[in-house]
Amino acid sequence: MALVGQRLAWPLLVVLAAMLLSACGSPSSEAAERAEELLARMTLEEKIGQMTLIERTAVVGCDEAEWVAACDLEKIAEFGVGALLSGGGSGPSQNDVAGWRSMVEEFQDAALSSRLGIPLLYGVDAVHGHNNVKGTVIFPHNIGLGAAGDADLVERIGRATAVEVAATGIRWTYAPVLAVVQDVRWGRTYESFGEDPDLVSDLGAALVRGLQAGDTTDDTYVLATPKHFVGDGGTTWGTGGRGYPIDQGVTEISEDELRAVHLSPYPASLAAGARTVMATYSSWDNGKVHGDRYLLTDVLRGELDFAGLVVSDWAGVDQVVPGDLEASVAQSVNAGIDLVMVPHDLVGFQTALRDVVLQGLVPEERIDEAVLRILTVKYEIGLFDRPLPGVGLAEQVGGDEHRALGAEAAAKSVVLLETGPGLLPLPKSERLLVGGRAADDIGIQSGGWTIGWQGRPGDITDGTTIVEALEAELGDGVEYEPSGSFETPAKTGLVVLGEGPYAEGLGDSATLPLPNNELQVLERMREHVDRLVVVLLVGRPVVLDAVADLADVIVVAWLPGTEGQGVVDVLTGARDVTGVLPVTWPASPDVAPRFEKEACEDALYPVGYGLGFDGVPLEEVGPCGSP
Ligand code: BGC
Ligand code: BGC
């Protein structure tokens, strides 16, 4: 998989792919014409309004947040706001499909009441299903899909996600993440499909195809947003932004490597028709990428022929020249940011952008170019004709078909690291002792970006936990005790250990631990059983020492989402085990960064490793240290 030699061929492929896609990435001429006509009728303030993307609480949140200047719906028209988003976990108090639809409808109506009646683009991080909304199907996080390595599966997940998103009246998601993770201590490791640019390229494009299937004006055509452009997965430990160790840090690599590893997944997603791209918080040679004209314009538009819109990340513009909003806004917009995810200081942003335009620091042609791209995308997806799509889709949300797909994905994600003859599948007609709090916890198995931004343990949404699926499959033989304290010994024990949910920089970790008290469950159970199976619910490789000492079987189920059934299907042999590691499992956290390392250098298990039930590696990749 991730071979250094393979990477060298990539710059050439990038160029070839860019040449190919220049034919297909261009907007429809009718949409572009209508956008031109509208642009000609707009004032500078209205144009700036179209470039404004605010969080929903910046409109409705008066009481919650005093710093919000605009706090009622009329402000949307008054400030000509062009786009709104729900940040992680941000939704209506009635958190279901109907609640979301009526929220989006109210916002949309407010926008349509402006002088020009331009509809809003509403965006959301539907990164593993429509994950802010209760009752939706939560699919495995990308790291698990990387283990499955099945582009057709990812495309079908994109389709199901698009249907669930469209059902709530939304046409835009901030996915796929095209980060090519190089250091698994990064809190966003699970958002990456893996360390191999080739794999990220294939699966990212598959997700774009799934989200954007059919005609652009179809209700369930949901705009994809490859992110974060570019280099987010290659930052150096110790250089992180906003006080984080590695997240939002500096990608300290040569341009050749930036292109070969981190840029190379983009052409396939753009060729698949992606119309929006999000800039990365991270920095490279010229400082923050949000202010880097070379990367955002010369490379993304010039070389890759991207004709859609570039959106900034959450307050990412503010970081370009710290403490100087005007300078930050001017540099970012000149660099190529078209739509600014403000996300709260609506008035501050609009004032700053207007000022720098009037001072001549940002040419009005650059404003026109940005607005034209935004309006063109809105016309292309038919927003002007149907501002609230997705009537009649509610029944499919969280429906059986999508849940079956979630279970299939969870099963295909499973990687078997250690086993022995006859240890798996689990016997059907015996007692099975099950321990570990993660065994019966939808929140832990779903991870970050689920209902809340950081995710949360507990019964946070509908789904099937591992214990529930085991009980359904194996019946009365299953005895569950989270603490692992059992009286009567049995032949087989199963412990589920979870990292616990986190997101972004808050998940950066120097030590990659499993929770200590849960490791004690393992020790307790070891004494009572002959065969001990450990299932890990993790967003990345963790330190295995204690587990390796005590377990006979080690199964990595990543963050499978709401359909724990899939994991159990593998444990019971109803489905085969087929997943392999999408990242190297480092020998210890301090040797985690991959960059140019050989497969087994500093590693416990190499990328591509994974066993079948018979204990034989699936891809002829042996464990490290084996002859
Ligand atoms: C993240 C993005 C996300 C955005 C909106 C940022 O903090 O980096 O990935 O799309 O927030 O929630
Ligand atoms: C939001 C996220 C966002 C993050 C950025 C959170 O409050 O919910 O969507 O990514 O802030 O720091």
Side-chain angles (χ1 to χ4, degrees), residues 85-90 125 242 244 248 281 313-314 449 453 504:
L85 85 143
S86 276
S90 175
D125 294 283
R242 267 201 223 156
Y244 299 133
Q248 308 191 12
Y281 279 132
D313 202 345
W314 182 279
W449 295 105
W453 174 41
E504 298 193 46

Side-chain angles (χ1 to χ4, degrees), residues 53 55 85-89 123-127 132 173-175 177 188 191 225 227-228 232 242 244 247-248 278-281 311-316 341 343 449 453 504:
L53 167 59
E55 216 280 333
L85 85 143
S86 276
V124 71
D125 294 283
V127 295
N132 287 313
T173 174
Y174 306 130
V177 171
R188 305 193 80 154
E191 294 188 62
T225 311
K227 70 183 186 184
H228 310 80
D232 53 351
R242 267 201 223 156
Y244 299 133
D247 189 41
Q248 308 191 12
M278 189 185 291
T280 178
Y281 279 132
V311 61
S312 60
D313 202 345
W314 182 279
M341 192 186 290
W449 295 105
W453 174 41
E504 298 193 46

Side-chain angles (χ1 to χ4, degrees), residues 33-98:
E33 273 167 34
R34 289 176 76 183
E36 293 263 13
E37 280 165 26
L38 181 53
L39 181 72
R41 296 195 280 132
M42 292 170 77
T43 63
L44 175 61
E45 287 72 20
E46 285 167 332
K47 292 174 188 174
I48 287 172
Q50 284 305 302
M51 293 173 69
T52 307
L53 167 59
I54 53 171
E55 216 280 333
R56 58 174 276 285
T57 54
V59 186
V60 293
C62 279
D63 301 335
E64 300 160 35
E66 282 170 301
W67 37 260
V68 175
C71 50
D72 56 55
L73 285 173
E74 279 146 39
K75 293 283 174 14
I76 292 184
E78 189 183 329
F79 289 88
V81 173
L84 237 65
L85 85 143
S86 276
S90 175
S93 47
Q94 184 192 329
N95 189 1
D96 59 18
V97 174

